[in-house]
Amino acid sequence: MSTKYVFVMGGVTSSLGKGIIASSLAKLLQARGLSVTIQKFDPYINVDPGTLNPYEHGECFVTEDGAETDLDLGHYERFLNVFTSKANNVTTGKIYRTVIDKERQGAYLGKTVQIIPHITDEIKRRMMLIGKSGKYDVIVTELGGTVGDMESLPFIEAVRQLQWELPDEDCLVIHLTLVPYLSAAKELKTKPTQHSVRMLQQNGVHPDVIVCRTEHPLPAEIRRKVALFCNVRPNAVIESLDAKSIYEVPLNMYREKLDEIVLKKFQLPAINNLPDMAKWNVFLDKLYNPKEVVDIALVGKYVELQDAYKSILESFIHAGAENECKVNVHCIHSEYITEGNVAEKLKGMHGVLVAPGFGERGIEGKIVAVKYAREQEVPFFGICLGLQMAVIEYARNVLGMEDAMTTEIKQNAKYPVIDLMEDQKSLTIKGGTMRLGAYSCQLEPGSLAASIYGLKEITERHRHRYEVNEAYVDDLKRGGLMPSGRNAETGLVEIMEMPKHPFFIGVQFHPELKSTPERPQPIFVAFVKASINYKNAHLEN
């Protein structure tokens, strides 16, 4: 059987949820027994999101093999419960870099290098690359941006060519649009969808399925109107209503028969298999029927944009469901936390998570938040920079090292308890040069970390340049902050914890990147459980 290709693109406006629709379709196909993966093509010229401010593009998701990618790959992994790789995210920057490198090497035999065919050929090669591995029955490809964007034109053209080159039963195009409701007129309006599809058709691409994001159900006459003006079958006009949770969308798409339409077009026998969504339904049942509620503070400096901490927020949803608990996450800006107001800012919180980040802004507020959690015995969880802030706080306030700091902020600190990794000191290029991807970590027997994971050795994903300075580890250990996880090869400290505290743990890696509804991340599960215990203990008092 040849590999089948689905292309998902959007129109009218951004943020309609192309990634969720792509993930939901892939989930349903996977649940019917097919091998599926998803890839994202982004039209921006950055080589990857690694150097982008989170305010620009949300969080930077890191894969097992160390690729810095779009946050939509996080959705792909969470829905499919399988890992993606560097091959699953391609940008305009990567395409142009490859083509220019080939031109410099003389690969085009003196030809004038042009958008068509050279850029579009490279885009098509990347689109087909994973499919040629033979591991997948279906490849779902999401195109970033919206139809009509200047940056997206080469990608649209590449899809046009593939729609022409591939057998009809091997290629399907889904177009996601908006059907707004005008409250003054009390009407759903299809004109934006009509214009978006017309623009797509003017570029030579003909959608097979139109998915309409809407706040109100689509009546039959609206579906017929969209089908008539957009030249698709009425049953190929799919309603995508706003859902209580993104994890409900696969079930909504199943009711709309999106997967059935795709399987019929591809002539795949999997259409005879009912999708096995048992685990998914168990997760949703727990999500919608919590027995507990906890309030957890997420202390960070990008809190104005929810997507900046997307994987952390999703991990709390997974861990909450596992504990049959609704987790209310309160995003608190670290820049505005001081010794004078920290008690007020964190009042009523049953747990404190200090988030990852880069740069000086908001550092002192994070240190103050760690101190509050430590002294008040509130469950504490630090991720990456959050671990480093915990080490600095402990060195300053418990060990008396008043000038303790990370050399990221203060190069001549008297006590550089956090320092630049040795192999990073000579680097001048920022993009893609951090410690990235999965690394192993050996856990200290009898530690909190070991009890959480129930393993002697784990692997987690990293994205950082600075580490706990080994020169101060013995001092920290004697003072009561214990290294409970180390990299097996380098001996670098990966986890620090405080045994005398009810729950105090910091990790150098990013555990949130591997959490899924069907496989919630163990530290998040334990942290939520500790927060429930803290809440119940204080209710009794």
Side-chain angles (χ1 to χ4, degrees):
M1 184 187 76
S2 58
T3 302
K4 311 298 183 181
Y5 295 88
V6 177
F7 297 96
V8 180
M9 53 191 72
V12 184
T13 180
S14 60
S15 301
L16 285 182
K18 293 189 299 295
I20 302 302
I21 293 298
S23 300
S24 297
L25 172 60
K27 181 66 184 176
L28 290 171
L29 296 177
Q30 183 193 60
R32 286 180 183 263
L34 295 171
S35 177
V36 188
T37 192
I38 320 177
Q39 54 187 358
K40 175 77 181 284
F41 280 68
D42 272 309
Y44 52 72
I45 298 176
N46 302 66
V47 172
D48 58 45
T51 57
L52 285 172
N53 187 306
Y55 286 132
E56 286 284 320
H57 207 67
E59 77 170 5
C60 176
F61 188 81
V62 179
T63 59
E64 285 285 291
D65 59 356
E68 294 175 290
T69 70
D70 185 80
L71 63 82
D72 272 324
L73 269 73
H75 290 311
Y76 306 163
E77 290 200 5
R78 287 187 282 271
F79 275 65
L80 292 180
N81 208 33
V82 294
F83 296 151
T84 54
S85 72
K86 59 185 177 184
N88 291 75
N89 193 201
V90 178
T91 67
T92 294
K94 286 181 180 175
I95 298 293
Y96 272 81
R97 175 189 266 185
T98 300
V99 170
I100 290 169
D101 286 347
K102 284 184 178 178
E103 184 273 331
R104 292 289 83 189
Q105 294 160 10
Y108 299 118
L109 303 176
K111 291 281 188 183
T112 302
V113 179
Q114 297 177 290
I115 302 291
I116 304 173
H118 303 101
I119 296 297
T120 51
D121 280 354
E122 179 59 22
I123 293 172
K124 287 192 296 180
R125 186 186 75 81
R126 299 279 189 126
M127 285 177 169
M128 309 290 283
L129 191 61
I130 298 177
K132 289 180 178 177
S133 69
K135 294 195 299 184
Y136 301 104
D137 301 314
V138 181
I139 310 290
V140 180
T141 302
E142 177 194 348
L143 300 189
T146 55
V147 172
D149 295 346
M150 187 178 294
E151 298 94 335
S152 299
L153 288 174
F155 295 96
I156 302 293
E157 170 61 19
V159 173
R160 182 195 72 78
Q161 293 180 24
L162 286 175
Q163 202 173 28
W164 177 71
E165 292 169 6
L166 291 170
D168 191 49
E169 67 275 11
D170 286 359
C171 180
L172 180 138
V173 174
I174 297 173
H175 190 54
L176 177 64
T177 72
L178 177 68
V179 177
Y181 180 80
L182 297 187
S183 55
K186 293 183 172 56
E187 277 187 297
L188 287 163
K189 292 294 183 182
T190 65
K191 194 63 73 178
T193 293
Q194 294 177 43
H195 283 307
S196 180
V197 173
R198 189 168 300 146
M199 188 174 294
L200 186 62
Q201 291 171 335
Q202 285 170 353
N203 287 315
V205 175
H206 306 287
D208 299 284
V209 178
I210 296 172
V211 178
C212 301
R213 273 301 303 275
T214 174
E215 296 175 350
H216 299 268
L218 296 180
E221 63 268 22
I222 291 286
R223 295 194 193 221
R224 281 196 298 271
K225 187 176 181 180
V226 170
L228 175 66
F229 283 101
C230 298
N231 201 30
V232 299
R233 299 291 182 190
N235 71 327
V237 178
I238 302 295
E239 171 189 282
S240 179
L241 277 168
D242 291 352
K244 284 194 293 183
S245 165
I246 59 171
Y247 300 111
E248 198 178 308
V249 178
L251 303 181
N252 293 345
M253 291 302 99
Y254 177 63
R255 283 191 285 271
E256 287 288 305
K257 300 183 178 179
L258 175 60
D259 56 330
E260 193 175 306
I261 294 166
V262 171
L263 291 167
K264 281 182 179 176
K265 173 75 185 290
F266 288 159
Q267 300 174 19
L268 291 174
I271 195 169
N272 299 315
N273 305 337
L274 285 175
D276 179 7
M277 299 290 284
K279 288 184 179 178
W280 201 261
N281 286 321
V282 168
F283 162 73
L284 282 175
D285 184 59
K286 288 182 177 180
L287 179 66
Y288 290 147
N289 298 286
K291 296 176 181 176
E292 297 272 1
V293 180
V294 293
D295 294 283
I296 291 177
L298 191 162
V299 179
K301 65 178 184 177
Y302 307 116
V303 295
E304 296 91 342
L305 182 68
Q306 293 284 295
D307 278 355
Y309 300 115
K310 191 64 179 174
S311 290
I312 291 175
L313 296 174
E314 295 303 313
S315 296
F316 275 126
I317 292 173
H318 310 154
E322 183 70 10
N323 283 288
E324 297 184 85
C325 173
K326 176 177 173 55
V327 179
N328 294 321
V329 179
H330 301 259
C331 294
I332 299 173
H333 206 306
S334 61
E335 199 171 1
Y336 307 124
I337 295 178
T338 65
E339 288 278 8
N341 67 17
V342 65
E344 180 188 345
K345 293 272 188 186
L346 299 182
K347 183 181 179 182
M349 295 297 108
H350 308 123
V352 175
L353 183 146
V354 174
F358 295 91
E360 184 175 2
R361 185 171 62 89
I363 284 282
E364 292 299 330
K366 289 185 176 184
I367 294 170
V368 170
V370 175
K371 182 184 178 186
Y372 176 87
R374 177 178 60 80
E375 292 182 341
Q376 301 301 315
E377 295 195 336
V378 180
F380 168 80
F381 183 14
I383 297 178
C384 199
L385 186 68
L387 160 73
Q388 296 174 7
M389 296 303 99
V391 170
I392 291 170
E393 189 280 326
Y394 209 86
R396 283 184 185 179
N397 299 316
V398 178
L399 304 184
M401 301 177 183
E402 291 184 11
D403 193 39
M405 184 45 95
T406 168
T407 55
E408 179 184 4
I409 308 304
K410 190 174 182 180
Q411 289 189 347
N412 61 344
K414 185 178 179 182
Y415 301 105
V417 292
I418 306 295
D419 198 8
L420 191 63
M421 296 164 59
E422 199 59 39
D423 60 358
Q424 293 281 321
K425 291 182 178 178
S426 60
L427 293 175
T428 55
I429 295 174
K430 297 294 183 188
T433 57
M434 287 185 278
R435 188 180 179 206
L436 292 165
Y439 287 86
S440 66
C441 174
Q442 291 182 334
L443 305 180
E444 188 71 27
S447 65
L448 173 61
S451 69
I452 287 172
Y453 282 97
L455 298 167
K456 294 179 180 179
E457 189 169 335
I458 58 170
T459 61
E460 293 283 4
R461 298 178 195 175
H462 293 248
R463 183 175 183 251
H464 60 99
R465 296 182 194 281
Y466 292 80
E467 299 276 357
V468 176
N469 190 337
E470 188 63 37
Y472 295 92
V473 170
D474 285 343
D475 290 333
L476 292 163
K477 192 174 179 179
R478 281 192 293 270
L481 190 63
M482 312 295 290
S484 57
R486 288 182 180 269
N487 179 265
E489 295 178 9
T490 63
L492 291 169
V493 172
E494 306 275 33
I495 308 174
M496 297 288 276
E497 60 184 66
M498 189 176 144
K500 291 183 179 179
H501 192 283
F503 190 97
F504 190 101
I505 190 166
V507 298
Q508 185 59 75
F509 45 81
H510 288 263
E512 72 274 17
L513 298 178
K514 289 174 72 170
S515 186
T516 73
E518 296 174 33
R519 194 176 58 227
Q521 211 287 329
I523 304 182
F524 277 88
V525 173
F527 179 51
V528 171
K529 179 65 175 173
S531 299
I532 294 170
N533 292 339
Y534 176 86
K535 174 193 172 184
N536 291 337
H538 282 72
L539 281 176
E540 291 172 6
N541 295 334

